[in-house]
Amino acid sequence: MLEKRYEPKDIEKKWYDFWIEKDYFRAESKSDRPPYCIVIPPPNVTGSLHIGHALDITLQDVMIRWKRMSGFNTLWLPGTDHAGIATQNVVEKELQRQGADRHALGREKFIEKVWEWKKLYGGTIINQLKSIGASCDWSRERFTLDEGLSRAVKEVFVRLYEEGLIYRGEYLINWCPRCHTALSDLEVEHEDKQGKLYYIKYNFIDGEGHITVATTRPETYLGDTAVAVNPEDERYKHLIGKMVRLPIINREIPIIADEFVDSSFGTGAVKVTPAHDPNDFEMGKRHNLQFINILTGDGRMSEEAGPYKGQDRFECRKNVLKDLADIGHLEKVTDHAMAIGHCYRCKTIVEPYLSKQWFVKIKPLAEEAIRAVKDGQVKIIPIGWENSYFDWMENIKDWCISRQIWWGHRIPVWYCEGCGEVIVSRDTPLECKCGSRELRQDEDVLDTWFSSALWPFSTLGWPDETDDLKTFYPTSVLITGFDILFFWVARMMMMGLKFMKEEPFRHVYIHALIRDAEGQKMSKSKGNVVDPLKMTVKYGTDAFRFTLAAYAAQGRDIKFSEQRVEGYRLFLNKIWNVARFISMNVKEGEEITAAIKVKKLSLADRWILSRLSSVISEVHNALEEYRFNDAASALYQFVWHELCDWYVEMIKPELYGDDPGSKRSAINTLVHVFETSLALLHPFMPFISEEIWQNLPFRRGCESLCVREYPSPEDGLEDRGAEKKMNVVMDAVTAVRNIRGELNLSPSLELQALIRTSNNAEEILNENIAYLAKLAKTKEIKIGKDIHPPHNSASAIKPEMEIFVPLEGLFDIDAEIGRLNKEKNKIEEDMEFVRKKLSNENFISKAPASVVEANKTKYNEYQEKLRSIQDNIDKINKWRKSDE
RNA sequence: GGGCGGAUAGCUCAGUUGGGAGAGCACAGCCCUUACAAGGCUGGGGUCACAGGUUCGAGCCCUGUUCCGCCUACCA
């Protein structure tokens, strides 16, 4: 017997442990069963579960559990990401609190510290995944810095280098002065801001006059090595080749001509700072200009900044502006909208910075990745994301992969101190070919995303040709948020195609971002984050998971509202209670046969089985297309409103009655439908479904719901006839209830019902009169073609029948007339609408015949209904007169 | 600057190929009916952002406008 209330906490742990103990989540390296594989988007090892993970994990778990139950050899491969910059930042802060810093500690000691930290806290998020029910194969858990994955990283690096797809060079990269490292273009977040445009005067060195340049970054004038104008610009043509002198520092630089310059912007003359601006960098190359680096790695002014040396870059800007103004070289300042790049890890403003870095030549890789999607080998769902994908891939630029931090995959490159040879190697080399043993490994580590790009095959054992790799690559689907479409998905596509010659996944399902109830992005600083673990404690994990699935409509962000979780918790409560109801009606130890003998079933039985059959199809189709919300709401609708509200109520007379045969038949069907529903629900709410399943006397030839076969759409129990008949019964019931409700009659009051029907409906109603009695709370039901209602009857019109409820003594004539008039008005409006259509010759001639026919039928029905209502109104008026 | 998405009931959102708009929550009325008052039954509530167009017919297709969100970009 189930407890009166569902208490999620203990139950969740109990069943999760049970599943683990039974090893249900373990995949087979070799199997006759078809493979189904998802690799988890590895959360940062420093992280803790946020609501975005919860959504991501829930959707993956739904797919995995569904496929597992459907007989697939299912692998959900879990793991974590070493998250270079983020993790290093966390440990550095920790050190800071202890009054230390990594430089004092030294590289090796520092890395030891990070590993220690990882051992202590790295399991946090994994345990949180378990707590929300993730059915991952934990025996295959991976970490991006594992031995095996590190080997894959080196292998990829070396091969790309050997093919000329990795190179080293001095370029302008994005530099974070706080993290002290290069960043890829993607790792820079642009933020629109209202800034200023400063107009600065540069004097000609010979004679009078000046040229004015406009800039958003006045302090960089210290690194200017030219002024550029458009060669076609009549205003400046004659000045090309002249020299100007930079104020204060007195450097002499030329005025040059370059097509790049937009004459309409600012003054049409641009200061050129090749070491501090991407465009100027290109211009500097074109014109052989000097590259002067005025900054240091921590964002301060370098030696080259002369009097400003040592100042912070923003401090320097203020000072430069003041000094220029003082000597009359600041012509004017205007407002200017611009976008400023920030470090995606620490939000510091990034700096275009000249330095030597490693790059991946990415175009050749991107071409394959574009083709795979164009050719349909990989399907992106929803399809709208394909455009973004193509757009990014087609305009891709070389990927800066070196990072000046310590935590990560060290670049497998050594430099010979003897001859300067560059050695790129899978293994640590001991000696250069020149004989020198003085080898120094590159100090940099690789972009974390470099290793996660290999995730779908490195985790399966690559570069070895393992059974796992053969069985599970390409994986079935990747489920993730759009925020890492480029960072991760795109790069996995490129690397997968390059090294496996096959796409890493067949489908990519991109889900939405979760925002707060007001549509704001959740962030710690705004204080509007929803802690998923708090949700699971408060409402139970299942209710929370079901909510997330129900929210997951394609192509729209989720505005998360706790109220909705509350609502689904009530749904679980409903399920719990119907389970209790069943357990009360099944004798202890009684075995319920799952087999359904169609011949002996009642109408209600056949109806609910038919409905079950169709909900199975709906769920199946929805999940096939990743319409999680549709699957969830189909189940909600079915279990609550069809199973509980109608079916359970309908069979109560049989259950409480004396006929053991019909009692048994009803309970059999009920148990069958409910057990099947639990199986359908299991991927969404694994805990409560298992708890109930284990406590009811089901016999399915397996010991856990999570390995029970998933209900299949081809069960042959659809029964359109039963559904039609049931609709007649339900119509009658609803009609009586409607009269009761509208006339404010007590639910406990037993009413009489007279139903005037067609032959067809008469038969159906007579056969199922017991349902009417129970559901509409009626007694003395009369059904026939020649029903004449007594004085003071309320009435309702339904297809094929007219229902009267005699109300002598209770009757409120005005209320009933009002009710009928309301109904009449509605019908008249509807009729008018159809009438207009039918009197339109164009409609008759151009619309499909079936549509025209349907409208004609409808019109006739309305007409009849209207006539009946009018009759009833007249009748009441007559009664009223005769009573007066 | 380019691109994408959204605007439907008081709120949050569904709406598959164009044939008279749905759900949940909230609201109102009546009910403690032996699974469930964390419940049941009934009801009210919408010019589908705006303006045009295509069509016999538009929430849905086309064009434009407004507002909101996001992605992306080397005009200093």
Side-chain angles (χ1 to χ4, degrees):
Chain A
M1 185 67 157
L2 296 161
E3 297 297 320
K4 180 129 176 136
R5 286 173 58 106
Y6 174 57
E7 295 292 349
K9 213 169 63 191
D10 304 337
I11 285 161
E12 290 174 7
K13 176 151 177 25
K14 177 177 73 181
W15 291 117
Y16 199 84
D17 291 347
F18 175 77
W19 298 328
I20 292 292
E21 185 198 318
K22 295 284 180 182
D23 221 8
Y24 293 137
F25 304 158
R26 191 191 289 266
E28 296 170 337
S29 294
K30 285 181 166 174
S31 171
D32 297 331
R33 293 178 300 149
Y36 186 85
C37 177
I38 298 178
V39 291
I40 207 168
N44 290 355
V45 70
T46 52
S48 56
L49 197 78
H50 59 64
I51 196 161
H53 293 126
L55 172 67
D56 203 45
I57 295 303
T58 297
L59 300 185
Q60 289 173 64
D61 201 36
V62 167
M63 294 306 285
I64 283 285
R65 284 180 184 268
W66 171 49
K67 290 293 182 178
R68 183 182 297 120
M69 291 171 78
S70 301
F72 287 77
N73 175 26
T74 310
L75 170 59
W76 186 10
L77 197 148
T80 47
D81 189 295
H82 68 279
I85 299 174
T87 306
Q88 176 155 329
N89 282 353
V90 168
V91 178
E92 275 194 278
K93 266 185 202 151
E94 184 68 29
L95 281 178
Q96 225 168 46
R97 269 197 288 276
Q98 298 165 9
D101 79 288
R102 71 177 163 109
H103 296 286
L105 210 59
R107 184 166 189 147
E108 262 177 53
K109 279 265 160 48
F110 177 75
I111 288 177
E112 265 173 42
K113 277 262 180 233
V114 186
W115 276 106
E116 271 171 37
W117 195 92
K118 190 254 172 191
K119 279 195 189 92
L120 268 175
Y121 303 108
T124 306
I125 194 153
I126 293 295
N127 290 328
Q128 290 170 334
L129 296 181
K130 290 176 181 171
S131 84
I132 63 166
S135 62
C136 300
D137 182 348
W138 299 107
S139 73
R140 286 175 164 85
E141 184 184 335
R142 296 288 184 270
F143 178 51
T144 46
L145 279 178
D146 279 350
E147 179 81 36
L149 276 69
S150 300
R151 198 152 65 87
V153 166
K154 281 181 219 155
E155 182 68 29
V156 164
F157 187 97
V158 172
R159 280 214 227 162
L160 288 175
Y161 179 82
E162 285 168 352
E163 283 187 49
L165 292 174
I166 280 186
Y167 63 91
R168 190 180 191 224
E170 193 162 21
Y171 293 93
L172 268 195
I173 43 78
N174 306 292
W175 180 266
C176 174
R178 214 237 35 109
C179 299
H180 252 255
T181 180
L183 300 171
S184 69
D185 295 339
L186 272 180
E187 289 166 311
V188 177
E189 292 173 348
H190 292 275
E191 200 183 304
D192 288 331
K193 218 185 129 182
Q194 193 55 243
K196 302 269 188 224
L197 197 56
Y198 303 93
Y199 291 74
I200 306 172
K201 290 196 274 195
Y202 293 170
N203 289 341
F204 301 125
I205 62 169
D206 51 343
E208 296 290 295
H210 65 267
I211 188 165
T212 301
V213 296
T215 180
T216 53
R217 299 203 55 191
E219 73 280 10
T220 63
Y221 100 96
L222 297 164
D224 283 3
T225 52
V227 169
V229 297
N230 192 291
E232 303 304 319
D233 194 331
E234 295 298 336
R235 293 171 297 177
Y236 298 121
K237 254 184 178 165
H238 64 287
L239 296 176
I240 295 166
K242 283 188 87 138
M243 299 293 281
V244 294
R245 180 178 293 117
L246 295 177
I248 303 169
I249 56 170
N250 296 324
R251 183 184 303 134
E252 294 180 0
I253 59 174
I255 296 176
I256 60 172
D258 195 290
E259 301 276 348
F260 167 79
V261 180
D262 175 0
S263 302
S264 66
F265 188 91
T267 61
V270 192
K271 60 190 274 306
V272 184
T273 324
H276 294 282
D277 180 278
N279 296 313
D280 295 3
F281 179 81
E282 295 301 326
M283 245 191 286
K285 290 242 149 145
R286 283 198 289 275
H287 298 273
N288 254 322
L289 300 175
Q290 221 190 323
F291 288 64
I292 300 176
N293 190 343
I294 57 162
L295 285 175
T296 62
D298 53 5
R300 294 183 170 276
M301 306 313 290
S302 74
E303 202 74 37
E304 300 284 357
Y308 302 98
K309 183 194 164 191
Q311 294 182 7
D312 172 79
R313 53 192 165 143
F314 300 113
E315 195 58 36
C316 175
R317 177 180 303 173
K318 277 188 210 155
N319 293 331
V320 162
L321 285 170
K322 183 176 174 299
D323 294 348
L324 288 175
D326 283 351
I327 57 171
H329 273 258
L330 186 59
E331 192 174 289
K332 62 172 174 175
V333 181
T334 58
D335 285 336
H336 180 65
M338 54 192 202
I340 298 186
H342 296 75
C343 171
Y344 84 137
R345 285 298 179 207
C346 72
K347 312 299 172 199
T348 302
I349 294 178
V350 300
E351 200 62 54
Y353 192 64
L354 192 61
S355 63
K356 216 171 215 186
Q357 303 288 346
W358 289 92
F359 297 87
V360 176
K361 191 173 162 190
I362 205 122
K363 270 258 171 341
L365 301 175
E367 278 161 17
E368 291 303 301
I370 291 169
R371 196 188 42 73
V373 175
K374 286 234 157 105
D375 292 356
Q377 282 148 267
V378 178
K379 209 174 140 196
I380 300 180
I381 302 143
I383 200 159
W385 289 107
E386 279 190 4
N387 277 335
S388 303
Y389 175 85
F390 290 137
D391 188 57
W392 188 74
M393 280 287 188
E394 279 157 10
N395 297 303
I396 201 163
K397 285 188 298 178
D398 284 357
W399 176 16
C400 174
I401 50 171
S402 43
R403 296 290 176 274
Q404 288 66 49
I405 57 173
W406 289 347
W407 177 241
H409 299 275
R410 194 146 173 194
I411 290 179
V413 174
W414 287 260
Y415 306 99
C416 175
E417 302 282 21
C419 66
E421 176 77 9
V422 174
I423 305 166
V424 177
S425 166
R426 291 165 182 82
D427 308 306
T428 305
L430 298 173
E431 190 178 292
C432 178
K433 15 180 215 208
C434 77
S436 167
R437 298 178 76 92
E438 298 281 299
L439 300 177
R440 181 176 51 82
Q441 187 172 4
D442 196 297
E443 295 292 324
D444 292 351
V445 300
L446 289 164
D447 182 356
T448 305
W449 297 102
F450 189 90
S451 55
S452 35
L454 318 181
W455 187 251
F457 50 97
S458 64
T459 52
L460 292 170
W462 191 90
D464 295 334
E465 283 191 32
T466 59
D467 288 335
D468 273 6
L469 200 58
K470 282 181 209 151
T471 302
F472 294 111
Y473 194 95
T475 66
S476 310
V477 61
L478 183 85
I479 297 181
T480 191
F482 63 79
D483 49 332
I484 51 176
L485 179 59
F486 306 141
F487 273 114
W488 191 48
V489 181
R491 285 163 177 168
M492 280 191 289
M493 287 286 291
M494 296 191 278
M495 291 300 191
L497 287 161
K498 174 74 186 169
F499 289 96
M500 296 297 297
K501 309 288 173 218
E502 254 186 302
E503 67 280 5
F505 18 74
R506 308 278 190 211
H507 293 169
V508 177
Y509 175 74
I510 306 280
H511 63 243
L513 211 71
I514 300 186
R515 301 168 179 284
D516 72 6
E518 276 73 50
Q520 297 286 312
K521 212 167 177 173
M522 288 186 188
S523 75
K524 276 183 199 157
S525 51
K526 280 187 205 146
N528 61 347
V529 288
V530 172
D531 180 352
L533 298 171
K534 281 190 187 147
M535 291 294 114
T536 62
V537 169
K538 197 162 165 191
Y539 301 104
T541 300
D542 288 321
F544 181 57
R545 287 173 53 125
F546 197 83
T547 308
L548 293 173
Y551 257 128
Q554 289 182 11
R556 192 193 270 249
D557 279 353
I558 295 169
K559 284 191 207 168
F560 187 85
S561 150
E562 201 173 322
Q563 274 191 1
R564 193 136 170 208
V565 191
E566 173 79 36
Y568 288 119
R569 191 180 64 112
L570 300 182
F571 179 44
L572 293 220
N573 191 54
K574 194 75 183 173
I575 294 169
W576 185 254
N577 276 304
V578 74
R580 290 183 60 232
F581 174 76
I582 291 171
S583 71
M584 287 170 180
N585 285 284
V586 180
K587 284 192 215 94
E588 196 70 30
E590 185 179 7
E591 196 166 311
I592 302 297
T593 39
I596 295 297
K597 297 193 186 83
V598 179
K599 272 185 198 160
K600 291 189 166 179
L601 297 174
S602 67
L603 175 64
D605 292 339
R606 284 184 289 134
W607 170 75
I608 195 69
L609 288 167
S610 180
R611 295 303 308 141
L612 173 68
S613 173
S614 101
V615 81
I616 290 172
S617 296
E618 276 175 61
V619 170
H620 181 87
N621 294 338
L623 289 181
E624 283 290 349
E625 294 166 22
Y626 304 99
R627 289 181 286 113
F628 298 95
N629 58 324
D630 288 341
S633 57
L635 285 166
Y636 180 95
Q637 174 66 27
F638 173 75
V639 171
W640 198 320
H641 298 303
E642 297 189 306
L643 181 60
C644 294
D645 286 352
W646 283 99
Y647 182 73
V648 168
E649 293 308 317
M650 278 190 285
I651 62 169
K652 276 180 180 172
E654 284 163 331
L655 292 183
Y656 299 148
D658 302 326
D659 180 356
S662 55
K663 186 170 177 172
R664 187 160 183 86
S665 166
I667 196 83
N668 262 359
T669 306
L670 174 61
V671 167
H672 170 84
V673 173
F674 186 59
E675 195 268 347
T676 308
S677 304
L678 286 177
L680 289 168
L681 286 164
H682 181 73
F684 299 88
M685 40 178 79
F687 299 111
I688 193 174
S689 54
E690 180 81 316
E691 170 71 9
I692 293 171
W693 195 84
Q694 297 281 355
N695 278 287
L696 289 181
F698 304 135
R699 298 292 179 272
R700 296 295 315 191
C702 59
E703 55 187 359
S704 165
L705 191 49
C706 68
V707 287
R708 178 218 195 266
E709 65 183 306
Y710 205 73
S712 141
E714 294 91 30
D715 62 1
L717 290 170
E718 313 81 17
D719 187 338
R720 297 302 299 276
E723 292 200 27
K724 266 197 176 142
K725 285 185 177 178
M726 191 60 205
N727 283 338
V728 172
V729 175
M730 288 163 101
D731 273 348
V733 170
T734 308
V736 177
R737 282 175 173 176
N738 178 278
I739 289 169
R740 190 193 291 276
E742 292 281 277
L743 298 182
N744 256 334
L745 304 172
S746 161
S748 57
L749 192 66
E750 287 200 312
L751 299 173
Q752 205 188 345
L754 309 172
I755 307 175
R756 185 153 64 201
T757 62
S758 65
N759 285 331
N760 179 39
E762 180 178 2
E763 197 185 326
I764 296 169
L765 291 171
N766 272 323
E767 278 168 11
N768 299 288
I769 205 158
Y771 298 140
L772 274 180
K774 161 75 180 143
L775 298 174
K777 190 111 181 168
T778 49
K779 53 175 185 181
E780 294 180 52
I781 303 165
K782 281 185 198 153
I783 301 159
K785 284 183 282 293
D786 304 310
I787 294 289
H788 296 289
H791 276 206
N792 297 347
S793 292
S795 63
I797 318 293
K798 291 283 176 178
E800 297 195 77
M801 61 188 155
E802 206 168 340
I803 296 135
F804 301 96
V805 176
L807 294 166
E808 193 61 55
L810 313 157
F811 197 42
D812 180 341
I813 290 185
D814 291 334
E816 175 62 2
I817 294 245
R819 218 177 59 82
L820 292 176
N821 274 325
K822 192 176 71 180
E823 189 77 1
K824 184 182 157 194
N825 289 339
K826 211 185 327 179
I827 302 256
E828 278 171 344
E829 276 172 31
D830 292 348
M831 252 178 100
E832 178 59 13
F833 186 86
V834 180
R835 194 195 59 75
K836 266 190 191 158
K837 251 190 193 182
L838 290 172
S839 58
N840 181 343
E841 274 176 39
N842 282 324
F843 175 73
I844 302 291
S845 59
K846 289 184 181 166
S850 62
V851 174
V852 176
E853 203 44 48
N855 274 280
K856 280 184 179 162
T857 311
K858 215 188 274 177
Y859 189 75
N860 291 335
E861 281 168 10
Y862 284 147
Q863 233 171 356
E864 225 165 283
K865 197 169 175 184
L866 185 65
R867 198 161 27 224
S868 303
I869 290 176
Q870 193 56 55
D871 282 353
N872 290 326
I873 292 174
D874 294 345
K875 226 176 286 169
I876 290 179
N877 283 328
K878 224 188 289 167
W879 292 332
R880 179 144 61 176
K881 265 189 205 145
S882 68
D883 287 350
E884 275 165 5

